[in-house]
Amino acid sequence: MVLGLISCMIPVFAQAHVVPYDLSKLSKTDIVFIYLKLGYTHILPNGFDHILFVLGLFLLNPRLKSVISQATAFTVAHSITLGLAMRGVITPISSVVEPIIALSIVFVAIENIYTSKLKPWRIVIVFLFGLIHGLGFASALRELSLPKTDFFTSIIMFNIGVELGQITIIVAAYLLVGHWFKNKTWYRKRIVIPISLMIAFIAFYWTIERVFDVDIINKIALL
C-alpha cells in the first residue's frame, strides 16, 4: 500500500518549483500562502527523497506520536541550516550535500532492517540528518528567490509547509498501513523489511548517481 502511494507520485516528483509572481508586488499575506505552498509541494509531490526518508522513519515504529516527534526534530534541524544558508552564513556544496542526503535514507532503511525496536538515540540521528537536509532545501530555495522585505516570514512559512507535507505522509502511511498492521506478528517480516530494502536500494542508486554525477538509467538505455 505504501509502495502504491509512492508509485502514484513518481511521475511528478521531478517537477521544478516555479514562482510565477513578482515578489516585490505581493502583500505579506500573499507571501505567507505562497511559501507555505512551496514548502508543502517541496515534499509533496516533488520531494521523492524526502518522502522515502519520512517513510523510513515511519516503518520501524508506526505510531503517530513517535514518528511525528522524529519529523519535528528533523524540521527544527533543517530550519536552522536552511536559515543560515539563505543568510549566507554557510555555503552548501551541492555535490557534497546531495550524496549525504541519499546516504541518510540508506542509513535509516538499513537500521530498520537490523533493528527491531526504536532506539532512544534515533531522534539525535534524525536531527543531525535534518541539518544536512536543510542545506539541500537551501539549494532548491535559492532557485526560487526570497522577498527581501519578508525574508524571515518566507523562511518560516516554507518550513511550516515542509512540516505539513511530512505530517501528510505520516498520516497517510498510518491510515494505509500502521493502523491496520502495526500489531501483526508478521508486520516486520512482510512490511518493514521488504519496503526498507527497496528504499535502501533506491537511495543507494541515488548516492551513486550523485557522487559520480551520472544518470545511470539513461546510460544503460544508450548501450
Coordinates of all heavy atoms in Angstrom, one line a residue, residues 35-121:
Y35 N 4.7 30.8 0.1 CA 5.9 30.0 0.7 C 5.4 28.8 1.5 O 6.1 27.8 1.6 CB 6.8 30.9 1.4 CG 7.7 31.6 0.4 CD1 7.3 32.9 -0.1 CD2 8.9 31.0 0.0 CE1 8.1 33.5 -1.0 CE2 9.7 31.7 -1.0 CZ 9.3 32.9 -1.5 OH 10.1 33.5 -2.4
L36 N 4.2 28.9 2.1 CA 3.6 27.7 2.7 C 3.4 26.6 1.7 O 3.7 25.5 1.9 CB 2.3 28.1 3.4 CG 1.6 27.0 4.2 CD1 2.4 26.5 5.4 CD2 0.2 27.5 4.6
K37 N 2.8 27.1 0.6 CA 2.6 26.1 -0.5 C 3.9 25.6 -1.1 O 4.0 24.4 -1.4 CB 1.8 26.8 -1.6 CG 1.5 25.9 -2.8 CD 0.7 26.6 -3.9 CE 0.4 25.7 -5.1 NZ -0.3 26.4 -6.2
L38 N 4.9 26.4 -1.3 CA 6.2 26.0 -1.8 C 6.8 24.9 -0.9 O 7.4 24.0 -1.3 CB 7.1 27.2 -2.0 CG 6.8 28.1 -3.2 CD1 7.6 29.3 -3.2 CD2 6.9 27.3 -4.5
G39 N 6.7 25.2 0.4 CA 7.3 24.2 1.4 C 6.6 22.9 1.3 O 7.2 21.8 1.3
Y40 N 5.3 22.9 1.2 CA 4.5 21.7 1.1 C 4.8 20.9 -0.1 O 5.0 19.7 -0.1 CB 3.0 22.0 1.2 CG 2.1 20.8 1.3 CD1 1.8 20.3 2.6 CD2 1.6 20.2 0.2 CE1 0.9 19.2 2.7 CE2 0.8 19.1 0.3 CZ 0.4 18.6 1.6 OH -0.4 17.5 1.7
T41 N 4.8 21.6 -1.3 CA 5.0 21.0 -2.6 C 6.4 20.5 -2.7 O 6.7 19.7 -3.6 CB 4.6 21.9 -3.8 OG1 5.3 23.1 -3.7 CG2 3.1 22.1 -3.7
H42 N 7.3 21.1 -2.0 CA 8.7 20.6 -2.0 C 8.8 19.2 -1.5 O 9.7 18.4 -1.8 CB 9.6 21.5 -1.2 CG 11.1 21.2 -1.3 ND1 11.8 21.6 -2.5 CD2 12.0 20.5 -0.6 CE1 13.0 21.2 -2.4 NE2 13.2 20.5 -1.2
I43 N 7.8 18.9 -0.6 CA 7.7 17.5 -0.1 C 6.8 16.7 -0.9 O 7.1 15.6 -1.4 CB 7.3 17.5 1.4 CG1 8.3 18.3 2.2 CG2 7.1 16.0 1.9 CD1 9.7 17.7 2.3
L44 N 5.5 17.2 -1.1 CA 4.5 16.5 -1.9 C 4.0 17.5 -3.0 O 3.5 18.5 -2.7 CB 3.3 16.2 -1.0 CG 3.5 15.0 -0.1 CD1 2.3 14.9 0.9 CD2 3.6 13.7 -0.8
P45 N 4.2 17.1 -4.3 CA 4.7 15.8 -4.7 C 6.2 15.8 -5.1 O 6.6 14.8 -5.7 CB 3.8 15.6 -6.0 CG 3.7 17.0 -6.6 CD 3.7 17.9 -5.4
N46 N 7.0 16.8 -4.9 CA 8.3 17.0 -5.6 C 9.4 16.3 -4.8 O 10.5 16.2 -5.4 CB 8.6 18.4 -5.8 CG 7.6 19.1 -6.8 OD1 7.1 18.5 -7.7 ND2 7.2 20.3 -6.5
G47 N 9.3 16.0 -3.6 CA 10.4 15.5 -2.8 C 10.5 14.0 -2.6 O 10.3 13.5 -1.5
F48 N 10.7 13.3 -3.7 CA 10.7 11.8 -3.6 C 11.7 11.3 -2.5 O 11.5 10.4 -1.7 CB 11.1 11.2 -4.9 CG 10.8 9.7 -5.0 CD1 10.0 9.1 -4.1 CD2 11.4 9.0 -6.0 CE1 9.7 7.7 -4.2 CE2 11.2 7.6 -6.1 CZ 10.4 7.0 -5.2
D49 N 12.9 12.0 -2.5 CA 13.9 11.5 -1.5 C 13.5 11.8 -0.1 O 13.6 11.0 0.8 CB 15.3 12.2 -1.8 CG 15.2 13.7 -2.0 OD1 14.1 14.2 -2.0 OD2 16.3 14.3 -2.1
H50 N 12.8 13.0 0.2 CA 12.4 13.3 1.5 C 11.2 12.4 1.9 O 11.0 12.1 3.1 CB 12.0 14.8 1.6 CG 13.2 15.7 1.3 ND1 14.3 15.7 2.1 CD2 13.4 16.5 0.3 CE1 15.1 16.6 1.6 NE2 14.6 17.1 0.5
I51 N 10.3 12.0 0.9 CA 9.2 11.1 1.2 C 9.7 9.8 1.6 O 9.3 9.2 2.6 CB 8.4 11.0 -0.1 CG1 7.6 12.3 -0.4 CG2 7.4 9.8 0.1 CD1 6.9 12.3 -1.7
L52 N 10.8 9.3 1.0 CA 11.3 8.0 1.4 C 12.0 8.1 2.7 O 11.9 7.1 3.5 CB 12.3 7.5 0.3 CG 11.8 7.1 -1.0 CD1 12.9 6.4 -1.9 CD2 10.6 6.1 -0.9
F53 N 12.6 9.2 3.0 CA 13.2 9.4 4.3 C 12.1 9.3 5.4 O 12.3 8.6 6.4 CB 13.9 10.7 4.4 CG 14.7 11.0 5.7 CD1 15.9 10.4 5.9 CD2 14.1 11.8 6.7 CE1 16.6 10.6 7.1 CE2 14.8 12.0 7.9 CZ 16.0 11.4 8.1
V54 N 11.0 10.0 5.2 CA 10.0 10.0 6.2 C 9.3 8.7 6.4 O 9.0 8.2 7.5 CB 8.9 11.1 5.9 CG1 7.7 11.0 6.8 CG2 9.5 12.5 6.0
L55 N 9.1 8.0 5.2 CA 8.6 6.6 5.3 C 9.5 5.7 6.0 O 9.1 4.8 6.8 CB 8.3 6.1 3.9 CG 7.1 6.7 3.1 CD1 7.0 6.2 1.7 CD2 5.8 6.4 3.9
G56 N 10.8 5.9 5.8 CA 11.8 5.1 6.6 C 11.7 5.3 8.1 O 11.7 4.3 8.8
L57 N 11.4 6.5 8.5 CA 11.2 6.8 9.9 C 10.0 6.1 10.4 O 9.9 5.6 11.5 CB 11.1 8.3 10.1 CG 12.4 9.2 9.8 CD1 12.1 10.6 10.1 CD2 13.6 8.7 10.5
F58 N 8.9 6.2 9.6 CA 7.6 5.6 9.9 C 7.7 4.1 10.2 O 7.1 3.6 11.1 CB 6.6 6.0 8.9 CG 5.3 5.3 9.0 CD1 4.3 5.8 9.9 CD2 5.0 4.1 8.3 CE1 3.1 5.1 10.0 CE2 3.8 3.4 8.5 CZ 2.8 3.9 9.3
L59 N 8.3 3.4 9.3 CA 8.2 1.9 9.2 C 8.6 1.2 10.5 O 7.9 0.3 11.0 CB 9.0 1.4 8.1 CG 8.5 1.6 6.7 CD1 9.5 1.2 5.6 CD2 7.2 0.8 6.5
L60 N 9.7 1.7 11.2 CA 10.2 1.0 12.3 C 9.3 1.0 13.5 O 9.1 0.0 14.2 CB 11.6 1.6 12.7 CG 12.3 0.8 13.9 CD1 12.6 -0.6 13.5 CD2 13.6 1.6 14.2
N61 N 8.6 2.1 13.7 CA 7.7 2.3 14.8 C 6.5 3.1 14.3 O 6.5 4.3 14.5 CB 8.4 2.9 16.0 CG 7.5 2.9 17.3 OD1 6.3 2.6 17.2 ND2 8.0 3.3 18.4
P62 N 5.5 2.5 13.7 CA 4.5 3.3 13.0 C 3.4 3.8 14.0 O 2.2 3.6 13.7 CB 3.9 2.2 12.1 CG 4.0 0.9 12.8 CD 5.3 1.1 13.5
R63 N 3.8 4.5 15.0 CA 2.9 5.1 15.9 C 3.0 6.6 15.7 O 4.1 7.2 15.7 CB 3.2 4.7 17.4 CG 2.7 3.3 17.6 CD 3.2 2.7 19.0 NE 2.7 1.4 19.2 CZ 3.1 0.3 18.7 NH1 4.1 0.3 17.8 NH2 2.5 -0.9 19.0
L64 N 1.9 7.3 15.6 CA 1.9 8.7 15.2 C 2.8 9.6 16.1 O 3.5 10.4 15.6 CB 0.5 9.2 15.2 CG -0.4 8.7 14.0 CD1 -1.8 9.3 14.1 CD2 0.2 9.1 12.7
K65 N 2.6 9.4 17.4 CA 3.4 10.3 18.3 C 4.9 10.1 18.1 O 5.6 11.1 18.0 CB 3.0 9.9 19.7 CG 3.7 10.8 20.8 CD 3.3 10.5 22.2 CE 4.0 11.4 23.2 NZ 3.6 11.1 24.6
S66 N 5.3 8.9 17.9 CA 6.7 8.6 17.8 C 7.3 9.2 16.5 O 8.3 9.9 16.4 CB 7.0 7.1 17.8 OG 8.3 6.8 17.4
V67 N 6.5 9.0 15.4 CA 7.0 9.4 14.1 C 7.0 10.9 13.9 O 7.9 11.6 13.4 CB 6.2 8.7 12.9 CG1 6.8 9.1 11.6 CG2 6.2 7.2 13.1
I68 N 5.9 11.5 14.4 CA 5.7 13.0 14.3 C 6.8 13.7 15.2 O 7.3 14.7 14.8 CB 4.3 13.4 14.7 CG1 3.3 13.0 13.7 CG2 4.3 14.9 14.9 CD1 1.9 13.3 14.0
S69 N 7.2 13.1 16.3 CA 8.3 13.7 17.1 C 9.6 13.7 16.4 O 10.4 14.6 16.4 CB 8.4 13.0 18.5 OG 8.8 11.6 18.3
Q70 N 9.8 12.6 15.6 CA 11.1 12.5 14.8 C 11.0 13.5 13.7 O 12.0 14.2 13.4 CB 11.2 11.1 14.3 CG 11.5 10.0 15.3 CD 11.6 8.6 14.7 OE1 12.5 8.3 13.9 NE2 10.6 7.8 15.0
A71 N 9.8 13.6 13.0 CA 9.7 14.5 11.9 C 9.9 16.0 12.4 O 10.4 16.8 11.7 CB 8.3 14.4 11.3
T72 N 9.4 16.3 13.6 CA 9.5 17.6 14.1 C 11.0 17.9 14.5 O 11.4 19.1 14.2 CB 8.6 17.8 15.4 OG1 7.3 17.5 15.1 CG2 8.8 19.2 16.0
A73 N 11.7 17.0 15.0 CA 13.1 17.2 15.3 C 13.9 17.4 13.9 O 14.8 18.3 13.9 CB 13.7 16.0 16.0
F74 N 13.5 16.7 12.9 CA 14.0 16.9 11.6 C 13.7 18.3 11.1 O 14.6 19.0 10.5 CB 13.4 15.8 10.7 CG 13.8 15.9 9.2 CD1 15.1 15.4 8.8 CD2 13.0 16.5 8.3 CE1 15.5 15.5 7.5 CE2 13.4 16.5 6.9 CZ 14.6 16.1 6.6
T75 N 12.5 18.8 11.3 CA 12.1 20.1 10.8 C 12.9 21.2 11.5 O 13.4 22.2 10.9 CB 10.6 20.3 11.0 OG1 9.9 19.4 10.1 CG2 10.2 21.7 10.5
V76 N 13.0 21.1 12.8 CA 13.8 22.0 13.6 C 15.2 22.1 13.1 O 15.8 23.2 12.9 CB 13.8 21.7 15.1 CG1 14.8 22.6 15.9 CG2 12.4 21.8 15.7
A77 N 15.8 21.0 12.8 CA 17.2 20.9 12.4 C 17.3 21.5 11.0 O 18.2 22.4 10.8 CB 17.7 19.5 12.4
H78 N 16.5 21.2 10.1 CA 16.7 21.7 8.7 C 16.3 23.2 8.7 O 16.8 24.0 7.8 CB 15.9 20.9 7.7 CG 14.4 21.1 7.6 ND1 13.8 22.3 7.3 CD2 13.4 20.2 7.8 CE1 12.5 22.1 7.3 NE2 12.2 20.9 7.6
S79 N 15.5 23.7 9.6 CA 15.2 25.1 9.7 C 16.4 25.9 10.0 O 16.6 27.0 9.5 CB 14.1 25.4 10.7 OG 12.9 24.7 10.4
I80 N 17.3 25.3 10.9 CA 18.5 26.0 11.3 C 19.4 26.2 10.2 O 19.9 27.3 9.8 CB 19.2 25.2 12.5 CG1 18.3 25.2 13.7 CG2 20.6 25.8 12.8 CD1 18.8 24.3 14.8
T81 N 19.8 25.1 9.5 CA 20.7 25.2 8.4 C 20.2 25.9 7.2 O 20.9 26.6 6.4 CB 21.2 23.8 8.0 OG1 20.1 22.9 7.8 CG2 22.2 23.2 9.0
L82 N 18.9 25.8 6.9 CA 18.2 26.5 5.8 C 18.3 28.0 6.0 O 18.7 28.7 5.1 CB 16.8 26.1 5.7 CG 15.9 26.8 4.7 CD1 16.5 26.7 3.3 CD2 14.5 26.3 4.7
G83 N 18.0 28.4 7.2 CA 18.1 29.9 7.5 C 19.5 30.4 7.4 O 19.8 31.4 6.8
L84 N 20.5 29.6 8.0 CA 21.9 30.0 7.9 C 22.4 30.1 6.5 O 23.1 31.0 6.1 CB 22.8 29.1 8.7 CG 22.6 29.1 10.2 CD1 23.4 28.0 10.9 CD2 23.0 30.5 10.8
A85 N 22.0 29.1 5.7 CA 22.4 29.1 4.3 C 21.8 30.2 3.5 O 22.5 30.9 2.6 CB 22.1 27.7 3.6
M86 N 20.5 30.5 3.7 CA 19.9 31.5 2.9 C 20.4 32.9 3.3 O 20.3 33.9 2.6 CB 18.4 31.5 3.1 CG 17.7 30.2 2.6 SD 18.1 29.9 0.8 CE 17.4 31.3 0.0
R87 N 20.9 33.0 4.6 CA 21.5 34.3 5.0 C 23.0 34.4 4.6 O 23.6 35.5 4.8 CB 21.4 34.4 6.5 CG 20.2 35.1 7.1 CD 20.1 36.5 6.5 NE 19.0 37.2 7.1 CZ 18.6 38.4 6.7 NH1 19.1 38.9 5.6 NH2 17.6 39.1 7.3
G88 N 23.5 33.4 4.0 CA 24.9 33.4 3.5 C 25.9 33.1 4.6 O 27.1 33.3 4.4
V89 N 25.5 32.7 5.8 CA 26.4 32.3 6.9 C 27.2 31.1 6.5 O 28.4 31.0 6.8 CB 25.7 32.2 8.2 CG1 26.6 31.7 9.3 CG2 24.9 33.4 8.6
I90 N 26.5 30.1 5.9 CA 27.2 28.9 5.4 C 26.8 28.7 4.0 O 25.8 29.2 3.5 CB 26.8 27.7 6.2 CG1 25.2 27.5 6.3 CG2 27.3 27.7 7.6 CD1 24.8 26.3 7.0
T91 N 27.7 28.1 3.2 CA 27.5 27.9 1.8 C 27.5 26.4 1.5 O 28.6 25.7 1.5 CB 28.6 28.6 1.0 OG1 28.7 29.9 1.3 CG2 28.4 28.4 -0.5
P92 N 26.3 25.8 1.3 CA 26.2 24.4 1.0 C 26.9 24.1 -0.4 O 26.7 24.8 -1.3 CB 24.7 24.1 1.0 CG 24.1 25.4 0.7 CD 25.0 26.5 1.3
I93 N 27.6 23.0 -0.4 CA 28.1 22.5 -1.7 C 27.3 21.3 -2.1 O 27.3 20.2 -1.5 CB 29.6 22.0 -1.5 CG1 30.4 23.2 -1.0 CG2 30.2 21.5 -2.8 CD1 31.8 22.8 -0.6
S94 N 26.5 21.5 -3.2 CA 25.5 20.6 -3.6 C 26.1 19.2 -3.9 O 25.5 18.2 -3.6 CB 24.8 21.1 -4.9 OG 23.8 20.2 -5.3
S95 N 27.3 19.2 -4.5 CA 27.9 17.9 -4.8 C 28.3 17.1 -3.6 O 28.5 15.9 -3.7 CB 29.2 18.1 -5.7 OG 30.1 18.9 -5.0
V96 N 28.4 17.7 -2.4 CA 28.6 17.0 -1.2 C 27.3 16.7 -0.5 O 27.1 15.6 0.1 CB 29.6 17.8 -0.3 CG1 29.7 17.2 1.1 CG2 30.9 18.1 -1.0
V97 N 26.5 17.7 -0.4 CA 25.2 17.6 0.4 C 24.3 16.6 -0.2 O 23.7 15.7 0.5 CB 24.5 19.0 0.4 CG1 23.1 18.8 1.0 CG2 25.3 20.0 1.2
E98 N 24.1 16.5 -1.5 CA 23.1 15.6 -2.1 C 23.4 14.2 -1.9 O 22.6 13.4 -1.6 CB 22.9 16.0 -3.6 CG 22.3 17.3 -3.9 CD 20.9 17.4 -3.2 OE1 20.1 16.4 -3.2 OE2 20.6 18.5 -2.7
P99 N 24.7 13.7 -2.1 CA 25.0 12.3 -1.8 C 24.8 12.0 -0.3 O 24.3 10.9 0.0 CB 26.5 12.2 -2.2 CG 26.7 13.3 -3.2 CD 25.9 14.4 -2.7
I100 N 25.1 12.9 0.6 CA 24.9 12.6 2.0 C 23.4 12.5 2.3 O 23.0 11.6 3.1 CB 25.5 13.7 2.9 CG1 27.0 13.7 2.7 CG2 25.2 13.5 4.4 CD1 27.7 14.9 3.5
I101 N 22.6 13.3 1.7 CA 21.1 13.2 1.8 C 20.7 11.8 1.4 O 19.9 11.1 2.1 CB 20.4 14.2 1.0 CG1 20.5 15.6 1.7 CG2 18.9 13.9 0.9 CD1 19.9 16.8 0.9
A102 N 21.2 11.3 0.3 CA 20.8 10.0 -0.2 C 21.3 8.9 0.8 O 20.6 7.9 1.1 CB 21.4 9.7 -1.6
L103 N 22.5 9.1 1.3 CA 23.1 8.1 2.3 C 22.3 8.1 3.6 O 22.2 7.1 4.3 CB 24.5 8.4 2.6 CG 25.6 8.0 1.5 CD1 26.9 8.5 1.8 CD2 25.6 6.5 1.4
S104 N 21.7 9.3 4.0 CA 20.9 9.3 5.2 C 19.7 8.4 5.1 O 19.2 7.8 6.0 CB 20.5 10.7 5.5 OG 19.5 11.2 4.6
I105 N 19.2 8.4 3.9 CA 18.0 7.5 3.6 C 18.4 6.0 3.7 O 17.7 5.2 4.2 CB 17.4 7.8 2.2 CG1 17.0 9.3 2.2 CG2 16.1 6.9 2.0 CD1 16.6 9.8 0.8
V106 N 19.6 5.7 3.1 CA 20.1 4.4 3.1 C 20.3 4.0 4.6 O 19.9 2.8 5.0 CB 21.5 4.3 2.4 CG1 22.1 2.9 2.6 CG2 21.3 4.6 0.9
F107 N 20.9 4.8 5.4 CA 21.1 4.5 6.8 C 19.8 4.2 7.6 O 19.8 3.2 8.3 CB 21.8 5.8 7.5 CG 22.1 5.6 9.0 CD1 23.3 5.1 9.4 CD2 21.1 5.8 9.9 CE1 23.6 4.9 10.7 CE2 21.4 5.6 11.3 CZ 22.6 5.2 11.7
V108 N 18.8 5.0 7.4 CA 17.5 4.8 8.1 C 16.9 3.4 7.6 O 16.4 2.7 8.5 CB 16.6 5.9 7.8 CG1 15.1 5.6 8.3 CG2 17.0 7.2 8.6
A109 N 17.0 3.2 6.3 CA 16.4 1.9 5.8 C 17.1 0.7 6.4 O 16.5 -0.3 6.8 CB 16.4 2.0 4.3
I110 N 18.5 0.8 6.4 CA 19.2 -0.4 6.9 C 19.0 -0.5 8.4 O 18.9 -1.7 8.9 CB 20.7 -0.2 6.5 CG1 20.9 -0.3 5.0 CG2 21.6 -1.2 7.3 CD1 22.3 -0.1 4.6
E111 N 18.9 0.6 9.1 CA 18.6 0.5 10.5 C 17.3 -0.3 10.8 O 17.2 -1.1 11.7 CB 18.6 1.8 11.2 CG 18.4 1.8 12.7 CD 18.3 3.2 13.3 OE1 17.9 4.1 12.6 OE2 18.5 3.3 14.5
N112 N 16.3 0.0 9.9 CA 15.0 -0.7 10.0 C 15.2 -2.2 9.9 O 14.5 -3.0 10.5 CB 14.1 -0.2 9.0 CG 13.6 1.3 9.2 OD1 13.8 1.8 10.3 ND2 13.0 1.9 8.2
I113 N 16.1 -2.6 9.0 CA 16.3 -4.0 8.7 C 17.0 -4.7 9.9 O 16.6 -5.8 10.2 CB 17.1 -4.2 7.4 CG1 16.3 -3.6 6.2 CG2 17.5 -5.6 7.2 CD1 17.1 -3.5 4.9
Y114 N 17.9 -4.1 10.5 CA 18.7 -4.7 11.5 C 18.3 -4.4 12.9 O 18.8 -5.0 13.9 CB 20.2 -4.3 11.3 CG 20.8 -5.0 10.1 CD1 21.0 -4.3 8.9 CD2 21.3 -6.3 10.2 CE1 21.6 -4.9 7.8 CE2 21.9 -6.9 9.1 CZ 22.0 -6.2 7.9 OH 22.6 -6.8 6.8
T115 N 17.4 -3.5 13.1 CA 16.9 -3.1 14.4 C 15.4 -3.3 14.5 O 14.6 -2.8 13.6 CB 17.2 -1.6 14.7 OG1 18.6 -1.4 14.6 CG2 16.8 -1.3 16.2
S116 N 14.9 -4.0 15.5 CA 13.5 -4.3 15.6 C 12.8 -3.3 16.5 O 11.5 -3.3 16.5 CB 13.3 -5.7 16.2 OG 13.9 -5.9 17.5
K117 N 13.5 -2.5 17.3 CA 12.9 -1.6 18.2 C 13.5 -0.2 18.0 O 14.7 -0.1 17.7 CB 13.0 -2.0 19.6 CG 12.2 -3.2 20.0 CD 12.3 -3.6 21.4 CE 11.5 -4.8 21.8 NZ 11.6 -5.1 23.2
L118 N 12.7 0.8 18.2 CA 13.2 2.2 18.1 C 14.2 2.5 19.2 O 13.8 2.3 20.4 CB 12.0 3.2 18.1 CG 12.3 4.6 17.8 CD1 12.8 4.9 16.4 CD2 11.1 5.5 18.1
K119 N 15.4 2.9 18.9 CA 16.4 3.2 19.9 C 16.3 4.7 20.3 O 16.0 5.6 19.4 CB 17.8 3.0 19.3 CG 18.0 1.5 18.8 CD 17.9 0.5 20.0 CE 18.2 -0.9 19.5 NZ 18.0 -1.9 20.5
P120 N 16.6 5.0 21.5 CA 16.5 6.4 22.0 C 17.3 7.4 21.2 O 16.9 8.6 21.1 CB 17.0 6.3 23.5 CG 16.7 4.9 23.9 CD 17.0 4.1 22.6
W121 N 18.5 6.9 20.7 CA 19.4 7.9 20.0 C 18.9 8.1 18.6 O 19.5 9.0 17.9 CB 20.8 7.3 20.1 CG 21.0 5.9 19.7 CD1 21.0 4.8 20.5 CD2 21.0 5.4 18.3 NE1 21.2 3.7 19.8 CE2 21.2 4.0 18.5 CE3 21.0 5.9 17.1 CZ2 21.3 3.1 17.4 CZ3 21.2 5.1 16.0 CH2 21.3 3.7 16.1

